[in-house]
Amino acid sequence: MTVRRTMFGRPLRGVAFDVAVSALVALVSLTAAVNQPGGWAATLVGVAMAAALVLRRTHPSAVTVVVAALALVQVIAGWGPLVYDIAVLIALYSVVKYGERLRDGVVAGAVAAVGVLLAAAQTPHVVQWWITALWYALVTGAVWLVALNVRTRRLYVLSLEERATTLEREREAESRAAVAEERTRIARELHDVVAHSMAVMIVQADGARFMLDRDPAQARTAVKVVADTGRQALEEMRRLVGVLRDAGPGGAADGADGLVVAADPEHRRLVLAELPDLLTRFGDAGLRIRSTVTGAPPALPPGLELTVYRVVQEALTNALKHAGVGAGVEVCLAYTAEAVVVRVVDNGQGRPLVSPTPSGGHGLLGMRERVTVYDGSLTAGPRAVGGWQVEVRLPLPECGPVLRPSGRG
């Protein structure tokens, strides 16, 4: 991190440079006090010019007016051009470079042109006066043009910085919108899971109430299902509330009753049993998919099961978009006692799509949001041998197996 030191709200380096310039002009004026025309009175004018130059960046127009007025005093007094008149050129340079409007610099240039004629008229006539005027005009014009060139470049750099800042803000806003949209979708799906669990609990509780006297054993089984399903639904509700709380005001949690309501043409619950169909669809689209499953699949909570499905779906979508048709993809699901590990790897050796699907560039953001809901980890990036790899680790809940709901909402 770069720390910029400031003084009086300005960069310390710029303040030090302006003070050094002012001190140099004052020193030149004091050094020539004895021999220059006007003596100490002219020296005081030079020191006043030097003092005004300290503010040449923050108030360039005002500084130019002050320096021009002091130069006029010098002309009226008949002292002629003196060494400290370099302050006039410095003020002219400053108003052209730092002035808010170029008009101020043009006016200063016109005033400087008049000053050139007056200075040439008061110069000792060693040579013809117009030769002296031409020399002063060349020097003054060169200073004005250099300042104009620096001003143009400075404004160009500032416009580039402003454009870069605007683009960065737009990217951040787009990313926040994509995250909010993904949270909306996650919250909606978790809401469906919780609603289904509540329906299962009601059905089982009603069954237990009717079977309590006729078949106590079956009633006990139904009560156990109610307890397990309620425990699972409570966990999913906690995650749902976490998603909505993270969305913040005006984010994903906008609804009449505090829940997310949105239209979805595929408004149904997806389960891991549908993964083979998903792999078949991507295979028909042109990917060469090889899938492996290690370990015994446990009874996953519906929300976690949905997250695994969505991660595989998004990873295959990215492989088709970026690796292309014909790319080899390996999908690995590993079930352990502590977690579910999903690994999707492509070799990046496919053919580009003829009509690629537009991508908002937020697939990884969506996956990360889903994985974070279940306290998981996501690793994604290019491989050294080519292609791309996505690996997700989702810890299993501590509670025991629960009843697996049906695949329809």
Side-chain angles (χ1 to χ4, degrees):
M1 180 178 178
T2 303
V3 179
R4 297 186 62 183
R5 299 181 179 180
T6 59
M7 178 181 292
F8 307 118
R10 295 170 51 194
L12 182 60
R13 182 178 178 181
V15 174
F17 182 80
D18 292 343
V19 170
V21 170
S22 176
L24 180 61
V25 174
L27 180 62
V28 169
S29 178
L30 291 172
T31 303
V34 177
N35 300 323
Q36 68 186 1
W40 285 103
T43 299
L44 291 178
V45 172
V47 171
M49 287 185 180
L53 291 179
V54 175
L55 303 176
R56 69 186 189 91
R57 295 177 192 258
T58 55
H59 303 84
S61 299
V63 169
T64 303
V65 170
V66 171
V67 172
L70 293 172
L72 180 60
V73 171
Q74 177 184 333
V75 170
I76 295 175
W79 297 332
L82 299 176
V83 179
Y84 62 72
D85 284 335
I86 187 70
V88 176
L89 297 179
I90 295 175
L92 177 64
Y93 176 89
S94 301
V95 73
V96 175
K97 179 180 178 181
Y98 298 111
E100 293 183 3
R101 299 166 297 183
L102 183 58
R103 184 181 64 183
D104 295 344
V106 173
V107 173
V111 174
V114 176
V116 163
L117 296 177
L118 295 176
Q122 291 187 343
T123 301
H125 298 292
V126 179
V127 294
Q128 295 185 5
W129 72 270
W130 61 269
I131 296 179
T132 304
L134 180 61
W135 167 249
Y136 287 160
L138 289 175
V139 173
T140 304
V143 171
W144 196 93
L145 290 175
V146 169
L148 178 63
N149 182 63
V150 175
R151 174 191 178 91
T152 303
R153 182 172 181 81
R154 173 171 167 267
L155 294 179
Y156 175 70
V157 172
L158 289 177
S159 67
L160 290 181
E161 292 177 352
E162 183 179 358
R163 186 180 305 173
T165 303
T166 301
L167 291 176
E168 183 177 356
R169 285 198 298 264
E170 290 177 353
R171 283 196 298 268
E172 291 177 355
E174 187 178 355
S175 298
R176 286 195 297 269
V179 170
E181 181 180 357
E182 190 63 28
R183 285 176 175 173
T184 299
R185 186 174 182 178
I186 295 171
R188 182 175 65 248
E189 292 173 342
L190 289 179
H191 169 258
D192 291 345
V193 169
V194 173
H196 182 82
S197 299
M198 294 296 102
V200 171
M201 292 173 61
I202 292 172
V203 171
Q204 295 294 333
D206 287 341
R209 180 164 59 90
F210 285 111
M211 298 299 296
L212 187 60
D213 296 328
R214 302 178 184 178
D215 192 345
Q218 187 173 354
R220 281 194 296 271
T221 302
V223 171
K224 182 179 183 302
V225 170
V226 171
D228 292 342
T229 306
R231 192 177 298 112
Q232 172 188 303
L234 183 62
E235 178 68 15
E236 297 292 351
M237 181 63 75
R238 181 186 66 82
R239 299 185 188 278
L240 171 61
V241 172
V243 171
L244 297 180
R245 181 181 295 118
D246 291 341
D254 292 331
D257 57 354
L259 295 176
V260 176
V261 180
D264 188 350
E266 298 181 357
H267 197 60
R268 62 188 181 86
R269 190 172 308 110
L270 299 169
V271 294
L272 288 183
E274 299 182 36
L275 264 184
D277 295 336
L278 178 68
L279 300 181
T280 300
R281 289 198 300 272
F282 277 97
D284 295 338
L287 293 179
R288 296 183 290 107
I289 300 177
R290 184 167 66 92
S291 62
T292 58
V293 178
T294 58
L300 301 178
L304 185 60
E305 194 172 12
L306 176 64
T307 298
V308 174
Y309 183 95
R310 291 300 191 192
V311 165
V312 175
Q313 184 183 42
E314 185 60 43
L316 290 177
T317 301
N318 288 340
L320 183 61
K321 289 179 180 178
H322 302 292
V325 176
V329 182
E330 182 179 0
V331 180
C332 302
L333 265 68
Y335 298 98
T336 66
E338 297 81 17
V340 180
V341 179
V342 182
R343 187 167 178 265
V344 181
V345 181
D346 68 76
N347 58 13
Q349 297 178 2
R351 303 186 307 276
L353 295 176
V354 177
S355 299
T357 304
S359 174
H362 302 291
L364 290 179
L365 277 176
M367 281 194 283
R368 195 175 301 278
E369 286 294 321
R370 289 181 179 276
V371 171
T372 303
V373 170
Y374 286 92
D375 302 323
S377 60
L378 168 67
T379 304
R383 303 167 62 214
V385 296
W388 191 270
Q389 172 178 316
V390 174
E391 184 170 336
V392 170
R393 185 180 188 277
L394 296 166
L396 295 177
E398 296 181 358
C399 58
V402 296
L403 178 68
R404 181 186 300 273
S406 63
R408 296 287 176 180

